């Protein structure tokens, strides 16, 4: 396949797309994951394809929540591993947090490929494959209800990037604090999570790694203050207004 020229005006976006396509070719991403990425891309376009100050604010709150957690878990699916395997491993080491593979479109071989990819990036243990440790999240019908007893099931904080709405709702009902990356501020996941980082997970995961590194030097009360001063509802509303502003600017100035 011909390479994407660096001079192409949309090179960055096309390169991110390539990561998903490569992830699909290596049995990590579901077919539906390619479409889900397309929806994300559209919102990224409307948001200006950069990490906003609003996203940075959410990232600070997310880092504080993950660092304060007693049993944090990073839940990974095909899309996030294709996009950010290296950052997932870095993040799991800094917090520190367990990593669990948990996918919507059930496939044992895809789960194995996801774990393999993370191991190639330097992680030792990924939960989610061992049937003897499996249990269920109540009030959830999708394949994502099957979780590890020592992972998502017993977590207090779960990071669920690029997520479907049903599980976010079920996790919240089950008493978990939920953090997500979602480019669509209107989605059920975005609206339900405790902290929604409205940013492309490719950029956002790298930001979260840096934020966790910095904030790991702060004490508990400083971290709690960051969370107290954060409102997810307000952040989402401001993101929607930002899209409106961008569209108005384009309508007027072209
Ligand atoms: O690997 P699996 O089987 O677990 O499947 C993963 C997908 C993503 C297919 C599955 O979770 C799914 O169907 O998700 P949804 O319901 O399409 O929701 C994905 C959400 O993530 C949408 O709101 C998208 O706008 C958003 N999104 C897509 N790509 C990105 C994103 N948000 C941040 N960064 C992205 N790169």
């Amino acid at each position: 396949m011909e390479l994407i020229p660096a001079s192409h005006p949309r090179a960055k976006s096309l390169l991110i797309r390539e990561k998903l396509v490569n992830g699909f070719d290596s049995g990590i991403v579901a077919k539906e994951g390619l479409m889900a990425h397309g929806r994300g891309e559209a919102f990224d376009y409307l948001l200006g394809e950069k990490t906003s100050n609003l996203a940075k604010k959410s990232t600070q709150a997310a880092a504080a929540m993950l660092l304060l957690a007693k049993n944090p878990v990073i839940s990974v699916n095909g899309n996030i591993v294709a996009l950010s395997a290296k950052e997932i491993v870095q993040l799991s080491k800094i917090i520190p947090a367990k990593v669990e593979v948990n996918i919507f479109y059930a496939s044992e071989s895809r789960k194995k490929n996801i774990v393999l990819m993370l191991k190639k990036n330097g992680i030792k243990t990924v939960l989610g494959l061992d049937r003897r440790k499996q249990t269920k999240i109540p009030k959830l019908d999708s394949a994502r209800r099957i979780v590890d007893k020592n992972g998502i099931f017993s977590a207090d904080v779960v990071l669920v990037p690029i997520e479907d709405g049903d599980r976010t709702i079920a996790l919240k009902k089950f008493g978990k604090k939920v953090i997500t990356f979602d480019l669509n501020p209107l989605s059920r996941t975005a609206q339900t999570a405790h902290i929604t980082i409205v940013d492309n997970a490719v950029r956002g995961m790298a930001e979260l790694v840096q934020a966790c590194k910095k904030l790991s030097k702060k004490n508990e009360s400083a971290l709690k203050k960051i969370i107290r001063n954060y409102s997810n509802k307000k952040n989402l509303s401001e993101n929607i207004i930002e899209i409106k502003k961008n569209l108005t600017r384009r309508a007027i100035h072209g």
Side-chain angles (χ1 to χ4, degrees), residues 30 32-33 36-37 39-40 43 77-79 83 102-105 110 144 162-164 181-184 187 199-201:
E32 294 82 354
H37 183 72
R39 177 146 45 127
F43 278 95
N77 62 15
N79 284 44
L83 293 174
N102 182 280
I103 59 179
F104 185 82
Y105 297 99
R110 206 152 58 79
R144 285 191 144 169
I162 313 179
E163 176 73 6
D164 68 289
F181 283 98
D182 198 327
L183 277 159
N184 177 4
S187 81
D199 195 10
N200 196 320

Side-chain angles (χ1 to χ4, degrees), residues 85-219:
K86 189 179 86 193
E87 289 77 11
I88 293 165
V89 176
Q90 287 174 341
L91 194 62
S92 76
K93 289 180 181 169
I94 294 166
I95 296 171
K98 291 173 188 159
V99 176
E100 179 167 342
V101 56
N102 182 280
I103 59 179
F104 185 82
Y105 297 99
S107 150
E108 281 308 304
S109 82
R110 206 152 58 79
K111 273 190 182 179
K112 282 182 190 150
N113 292 334
I114 288 172
V115 172
L116 209 67
M117 180 62 146
L118 291 170
K119 291 205 165 160
K120 269 190 201 158
N121 280 273
I123 201 163
K124 286 211 176 80
T125 311
V126 180
L127 306 177
L129 284 181
D130 189 345
R131 284 177 188 273
R132 292 164 306 175
K133 305 239 175 80
Q134 284 174 350
T135 182
K136 286 178 191 162
I137 297 176
K139 300 192 176 78
L140 183 61
D141 294 330
S142 75
R144 285 191 144 169
R145 70 187 182 282
I146 313 287
V147 290
D148 190 295
K149 276 182 206 155
N150 302 317
I152 293 170
F153 189 80
S154 49
D156 50 352
V157 176
V158 194
L159 172 64
V160 289
I162 313 179
E163 176 73 6
D164 68 289
D166 282 7
R167 188 167 68 131
T168 308
I169 294 167
L171 285 173
K172 201 172 166 186
K173 278 193 186 145
F174 195 36
K176 313 293 178 199
K177 293 264 187 234
V178 182
I179 301 170
T180 193
F181 283 98
D182 198 327
L183 277 159
N184 177 4
L186 301 163
S187 81
R188 280 186 311 147
T189 294
Q191 297 280 337
T192 310
H194 293 89
I195 299 175
T196 305
I197 304 170
V198 182
D199 195 10
N200 196 320
V202 178
R203 298 187 299 266
M205 281 294 283
E207 286 273 339
L208 187 56
V209 169
Q210 290 312 316
C212 284
K213 256 189 207 163
K214 270 196 188 154
L215 291 184
S216 63
K217 293 172 191 120
K218 301 263 182 202
N219 63 28

